[in-house]
Amino acid sequence: MANCPGSVQSRIRSALHVIGTEKPSSEAVQDAAGQKQTPWSKEAFLERASSFTLPTWFAKPATLSPLEAARHGWRNSSTDELACAACSRTLNCVRPDDAASDFDAQQAQLLLDGHGPLCPWRGNPASADYALPDASDAAFSARLASLAALPAHLAGALPPHPPVDTTGHGPAAIALAATGWQLSGPVVSCALCGAAAPAETISVVHCDERAQAPTDAAADAHAAEPEVATQPHVGDVSFDCRRQHRHFCPWAAPAGPAAAPPSYLCGSLAAAAIRRLLK
């Protein structure tokens, strides 16, 4: 490799290092621009996931959810387009009207194989645990601490079994923390799916823990996201801890064994609106 440019050498070394090995989340590699990155860290994963927005990534199956794409090293670079910072490859994910029955499976396979031949992401995704809700005691306590600034009079229903001592915290804060929400400045947000709502618009917090299978019409609209989760209507007073997450977020699924629908179908306010329109 004596005659190879330095950036090419670095990418080759990175690719050779990760083949057949477990990659440490803190390891740095160089991207196509020569910048050092730690792509397999959870922080980098969440940053990639945050690039997916409703206008630019819409009507996609669960296999192409933002969390799955981010786990495989992809960012949402444009409408229906994925890009990899390490190898500069892009994927066009527009679904044609005459798409074959296995189109979604082919697209999902490209998350693995669509990277360049020497890209360290090729066939080497980040940990699947990153796309799971962090329900650890430590994470719950951190979210609950951030929600301490919520008004004490905010109404809410307590979750069945808070994981740690919640003395001094109101039921609304406990319910929010138990379902993945944290307070970031004036906004209640989810670090996993990026859903957010101004805290000042919330006066009642509740959790719909019922596992209701969606109708066929809702299933056909499986990627219709709850846009009100990021742009709540002024005057709304009720905040559903589950349904306000984006449709692909695992926090949207009801807790416990009764949770029957797939995570990408749970918590979709838009799907509920479609059901009402069809009645």
Side-chain angles (χ1 to χ4, degrees), residues 27-104:
E27 179 165 345
V29 298
Q30 280 191 340
D31 62 17
Q35 302 296 314
K36 285 193 173 182
Q37 307 287 342
T38 53
W40 288 285
S41 69
K42 187 167 185 178
E43 292 74 16
F45 162 78
L46 292 174
E47 192 277 329
R48 289 191 299 274
S50 70
S51 68
F52 292 80
T53 65
L54 180 59
T56 60
W57 198 251
F58 182 74
K60 297 293 186 289
T63 50
L64 290 179
S65 79
L67 299 183
E68 276 301 293
R71 197 169 70 81
H72 287 78
W74 300 98
R75 295 175 53 84
N76 183 202
S77 53
S78 185
T79 303
D80 295 322
E81 182 181 88
L82 299 176
C84 173
C87 65
S88 299
R89 286 285 183 91
T90 59
L91 296 179
N92 183 342
C93 299
V94 175
R95 183 185 180 90
D97 293 337
D98 58 348
S101 58
D102 63 345
F103 177 81
D104 290 343

Side-chain angles (χ1 to χ4, degrees), residues 72-267:
H72 287 78
W74 300 98
R75 295 175 53 84
N76 183 202
S77 53
S78 185
T79 303
D80 295 322
E81 182 181 88
L82 299 176
C84 173
C87 65
S88 299
R89 286 285 183 91
T90 59
L91 296 179
N92 183 342
C93 299
V94 175
R95 183 185 180 90
D97 293 337
D98 58 348
S101 58
D102 63 345
F103 177 81
D104 290 343
Q106 293 178 12
Q107 292 281 292
Q109 187 62 36
L110 283 176
L111 295 183
L112 281 167
D113 303 338
H115 294 281
L118 298 179
C119 182
W121 281 109
R122 188 176 179 89
N124 201 35
S127 172
D129 291 344
Y130 289 172
L132 299 177
D134 190 346
S136 66
D137 290 356
F140 172 81
S141 296
R143 292 191 298 268
L144 186 60
S146 75
L147 291 159
L150 285 178
H153 66 273
L154 190 63
L158 284 171
H161 303 290
V164 298
D165 181 18
T166 57
T167 303
H169 295 279
I174 296 170
L176 288 167
T179 49
W181 299 96
Q182 61 190 14
L183 187 64
S184 305
V187 175
V188 172
S189 64
C190 171
L192 196 54
C193 70
E200 64 180 11
T201 66
I202 303 171
S203 61
V204 178
V205 173
H206 69 283
C207 294
D208 186 354
E209 299 290 0
R210 296 168 298 172
Q212 295 180 335
T215 64
D216 290 341
D220 290 340
H222 60 266
E225 295 193 22
E227 187 170 359
V228 293
T230 52
Q231 297 178 348
H233 299 295
V234 175
D236 279 354
V237 295
S238 181
F239 185 92
D240 190 313
C241 296
R242 298 289 184 188
R243 295 182 180 274
Q244 287 295 329
H245 286 284
R246 295 178 71 184
H247 74 282
F248 60 84
C249 186
W251 282 114
S263 62
Y264 69 94
L265 289 176
C266 297

